[in-house]
Amino acid sequence: MLPRSENGLPFGFRIVGNCQNDRRLVDWSAAFLAYCDCDDRADINAEAYLSAFCFGGEFADLLSRTGSPKGYAGECWSGWLWFDIDRDELELATTDARRLAGTLVERFELAGDELLIFFSGSKGFHIGLPLAVCGSPGPSIEFHSVCRQFAEQIATIANVTIDSGVYDRVRAFRAPNSWHPKTGRHKRYLALDELFMLTAVQIVELAADPIPFDLPPIAKPYGQAVRDWQTAVASVRNQNVVATERRTNGTTTTGLNRSTREFLIDGAGTGDRHRRLFSAAANLAEFGCSFELAFALLSESALDSGLAPAEVRRQIECGLNHRGAR
């Protein structure tokens, strides 16, 4: 069953062809279902995208009037939180997708069939978590930012890298079953067992053809998921308050925060080192810090904390991008 907004945000956009083509206003739920069902109207043998989020009348008016979602800064919503894993090597992407799916199942005590898992048709995977697990949060101006914060928290726990760009408010996201022009494959639905039991080569072979699939039943709220969402909301709102204060005071920041200073001096313990390094890099990004400088400042403490060199680099990059892309 497809989560639907009861808050007056039924609209989305559809792109047929590449992302330079027109955004067409659609009923998002109807369009999404058509792609899941391999409906003839979806034209699944074409490259196609749907908006990652849903919108209300204000968005519909803007798109109808200008032909573009550019400049939209209003409310958005989604029944799904999407994770996008894209690696240069498909074997690595498969490992990360399994790790992320396993973390979601374990942390939120899911049966597994609540997740929507897709091979992207090229080098990655898309995993959809039903936000009913988080208590079906309603739309807001900051909804997309909370999704990003929540997803980055989970990715850090799972120790995987995700594409944080998919949480832009008007982001286009490849439609289920649609055709990938570079590979000739389709964005292919996978059951949880298929993700874990099939090899990367076998998964690619499956994507030669689209497949209709049923959506999972609406998931029930789970306490840990609700708390994780509330933590993400609080984090985003705190960031917004700090940013407003800085703009009002005409300054960007008064100095490194205490956590960053402590990490530079003492490092961090095993259970907290990933988060502390990520947070310190994000703090440095507020100063426009380059990767080279951030790495020089943070790597010694991170390595002393027991992190592998590759993980040190990854967490610093994620932290810098986390702040720099907002």
Side-chain angles (χ1 to χ4, degrees):
M1 185 180 297
L2 187 69
R4 297 182 65 93
S5 173
E6 302 297 331
N7 301 281
L9 277 74
F11 300 111
F13 61 77
R14 177 191 181 205
I15 304 170
V16 178
N18 66 50
C19 285
Q20 303 303 314
N21 290 350
D22 292 340
R23 272 73 173 154
R24 306 175 186 178
L25 190 69
V26 294
D27 178 316
W28 190 93
S29 294
F32 187 76
L33 275 175
Y35 279 101
C36 296
D37 291 341
C38 295
D39 191 300
D40 289 342
R41 293 170 294 178
D43 191 10
I44 55 176
N45 290 315
E47 181 181 8
Y49 303 84
L50 296 173
S51 56
F53 297 100
C54 301
F55 313 96
E58 180 184 356
F59 175 87
D61 291 343
L62 174 67
L63 188 60
S64 298
R65 187 175 68 254
T66 68
S68 170
K70 185 177 180 179
Y72 178 73
E75 290 187 331
C76 63
W77 176 86
S78 177
W80 302 91
L81 189 147
W82 298 106
F83 296 85
D84 184 3
I85 293 173
D86 190 10
R87 301 288 294 271
D88 290 336
E89 297 181 27
L90 185 56
E91 291 282 357
L92 296 177
T94 304
T95 297
D96 277 0
R98 290 168 177 164
R99 187 180 293 131
L100 177 60
T103 297
L104 292 170
V105 168
E106 180 179 357
R107 185 170 181 82
F108 303 141
E109 294 191 0
L110 304 175
D113 57 358
E114 300 95 335
L115 300 175
L116 280 183
I117 303 170
F118 300 94
F119 169 57
S120 70
S122 181
K123 299 181 298 180
F125 294 84
H126 301 158
I127 297 179
L129 174 72
L131 284 175
V133 172
C134 301
S136 299
S140 69
I141 291 176
E142 60 201 13
F143 186 91
H144 65 298
S145 296
V146 177
C147 285
R148 175 175 177 166
Q149 183 71 34
F150 182 98
E152 289 174 342
Q153 291 171 184
I154 299 301
T156 298
I157 293 169
N159 194 26
V160 300
T161 300
I162 61 172
D163 180 359
S164 294
V166 301
Y167 309 109
D168 292 346
R169 188 184 274 111
V170 292
R171 180 74 170 207
F173 203 60
R174 193 176 298 277
N177 282 316
S178 62
W179 179 75
H180 198 295
K182 293 183 179 179
T183 65
R185 305 280 177 178
H186 291 262
K187 178 172 174 177
R188 176 61 150 75
Y189 170 78
L190 298 170
L192 185 67
D193 285 347
E194 290 176 315
L195 174 64
F196 278 92
M197 298 179 67
L198 298 180
T199 67
V201 172
Q202 289 172 321
I203 289 172
V204 169
E205 291 173 348
L206 285 181
D209 298 299
I211 183 173
F213 59 91
D214 294 327
L215 292 174
I218 300 295
K220 296 180 180 179
Y222 182 70
Q224 183 62 58
V226 173
R227 290 190 293 273
D228 285 349
W229 182 266
Q230 292 171 343
T231 297
V233 169
S235 178
V236 168
R237 290 179 178 173
N238 181 63
Q239 292 167 16
N240 291 340
V241 168
V242 170
T244 299
E245 290 176 348
R246 289 171 180 166
R247 288 193 298 268
T248 301
N249 295 332
T251 181
T252 56
T253 186
T254 57
L256 295 177
N257 64 43
R258 179 178 178 181
S259 177
T260 300
R261 294 195 302 271
E262 290 177 348
F263 183 83
L264 287 168
I265 297 170
D266 299 321
T270 301
D272 206 28
R273 58 196 181 187
H274 290 85
R275 183 189 65 81
R276 292 283 301 280
L277 175 57
F278 176 93
S279 176
N283 186 203
L284 290 174
E286 297 176 3
F287 298 87
C289 187
S290 67
F291 171 79
E292 290 76 12
L293 179 56
F295 188 82
L297 290 170
L298 298 172
S299 60
E300 183 176 355
S301 292
L303 291 169
D304 287 346
S305 298
L307 289 172
E311 186 60 21
V312 171
R313 176 176 291 272
R314 188 179 76 86
Q315 289 297 330
I316 291 174
E317 288 176 342
C318 289
L320 292 174
N321 292 333
H322 175 74
R323 288 294 187 190
R326 288 187 185 278

